[in-house]
Amino acid sequence: MQEDESNQASSDSKRATPRFDVLQLLMFVALVAVIVAFTQSEGCGKRIRLIECVSVSDDGNTMLVSSLSGRYANTPGKIYKADVSRTISLINTQARSVRSIHQDFRPGNCGPAQTLWWPGRTSAILLPKKNRALMQEFGGGDVLQFDLNEKQTAKRIARAEPVLNLAVSRSGNLYATCNHLGLSVCNTTTHQIKLHKSSPGLRNINAPAAAFSSDDSMIAAAGHNQVVVWDVLTGKKIGELALARGEDVYDVDFFPDNSLLVCTKLAAHRWRIGDNTVSELSGLAS
């Protein structure tokens, strides 16, 4: 009788012993949370679209448009993007026809997607008087060249550093490739580098904005609150502008007189490089 009672007590004790202690349970919950964060349904969020950049031919008959599409990934506490795509389209403004010439797609959760989703970046551009287009690889990489008259695979121009932004001169003879380390000026026919500038002062999250002067003699680059102008032929620095801290420069372009339009989140400025004076353009401040 005593033996039966002892066996019964031993059996009850085994049944009462928990399979996990508190620490193991907490580790299991944390593991589940991590798995959920990384496997959230990337395709179920709100769909988002954006026109990244537009390039227009000299005669106004052709437009090159880069458009982005994706969804918000349902990642708790994060503004992540998923299923991000880029479509490069060619529009004939006279015939009112549209032709897709290139598409890219990154499936799944792309995280912050900073190099994929960047409003205002020039990732594709027409070459004036060349009937060709240049574009960077999606998310940064080499340069791709398309002949607009031929339906063929793009020609790849290898670059030592990933290209994250493009600019082209008005003559169509030069183009610039930019990234967070600086920029390179290249010949549009040979693709040889004529000028390379590494500028820590222009480091941005992705790449500086850039622009050529109307006569191709100067190039300006901007990142954070700084703008630098160089002589394309000699590589000599012509001028440097530092705006107030926090007034990040989003775009630059030259006026016909070679003064520079500097656009920030707060205002638009005109920088006369020769006498180093800056004036705010009235009516354009946000």
Side-chain angles (χ1 to χ4, degrees), residues 172-190:
N173 295 326
L174 301 171
Y175 68 94
T177 61
C178 310
N179 60 26
H180 62 286
L181 299 176
L183 61 83
S184 297
V185 176
C186 311
N187 183 285
T188 54
T189 302
T190 65

Side-chain angles (χ1 to χ4, degrees), residues 54-77:
V54 177
S55 181
V56 183
S57 63
D58 290 339
D59 59 11
N61 293 332
T62 305
M63 294 176 62
L64 189 73
V65 180
S66 172
S67 59
L68 303 175
S69 178
R71 296 179 184 272
Y72 285 119
N74 293 329
T75 304

Side-chain angles (χ1 to χ4, degrees), residues 26-38:
L26 290 175
M27 291 177 64
F28 177 76
V29 171
L31 178 61
V32 170
V34 171
I35 293 174
V36 168
F38 279 96

Side-chain angles (χ1 to χ4, degrees), residues 57 84 109 127 132 180:
S57 63
V84 179
N109 193 327
L127 291 178
R132 285 179 288 162
H180 62 286

Side-chain angles (χ1 to χ4, degrees), residues 236-259:
K236 180 181 177 182
K237 184 189 292 185
I238 297 175
E240 184 170 359
L241 175 67
L243 297 174
R245 188 173 181 178
E247 196 173 358
D248 289 352
V249 181
Y250 286 88
D251 205 0
V252 291
D253 202 2
F254 279 91
F255 287 101
D257 65 354
N258 282 341
S259 60

Side-chain angles (χ1 to χ4, degrees), residues 94-246:
Q94 290 187 324
R96 296 185 179 181
S97 61
V98 181
R99 174 166 63 95
S100 175
I101 63 172
H102 185 77
Q103 288 184 313
D104 302 282
F105 181 61
R106 294 287 179 86
N109 193 327
C110 299
Q114 288 180 335
T115 60
L116 300 175
W117 196 279
W118 183 9
R121 172 184 41 199
T122 303
S123 73
I125 196 164
L126 292 171
L127 291 178
K129 306 171 185 176
K130 303 289 185 181
N131 212 29
R132 285 179 288 162
L134 296 179
M135 64 189 70
Q136 64 172 67
E137 285 190 300
F138 194 37
D142 292 334
V143 174
L144 304 178
Q145 177 181 281
F146 285 84
D147 189 322
L148 303 183
N149 289 332
E150 301 178 13
K151 295 181 180 180
Q152 60 182 16
T153 305
K155 176 183 177 182
R156 180 183 298 275
I157 297 100
R159 302 286 85 169
E161 297 174 348
V163 178
L164 294 170
N165 204 354
L166 293 168
V168 67
S169 67
R170 287 172 173 79
S171 68
N173 295 326
L174 301 171
Y175 68 94
T177 61
C178 310
N179 60 26
H180 62 286
L181 299 176
L183 61 83
S184 297
V185 176
C186 311
N187 183 285
T188 54
T189 302
T190 65
H191 301 288
Q192 291 183 341
I193 295 176
K194 296 174 62 67
L195 174 69
H196 179 75
K197 287 294 180 181
S198 297
S199 183
L202 291 178
R203 291 191 179 189
N204 209 335
I205 294 175
N206 291 315
F212 288 91
S213 61
S214 56
D215 59 0
D216 292 4
S217 65
M218 296 183 289
I219 185 167
H224 288 309
N225 65 331
Q226 288 185 292
V227 184
V228 180
V229 178
W230 291 282
D231 185 293
V232 171
L233 186 61
T234 65
K236 180 181 177 182
K237 184 189 292 185
I238 297 175
E240 184 170 359
L241 175 67
L243 297 174
R245 188 173 181 178

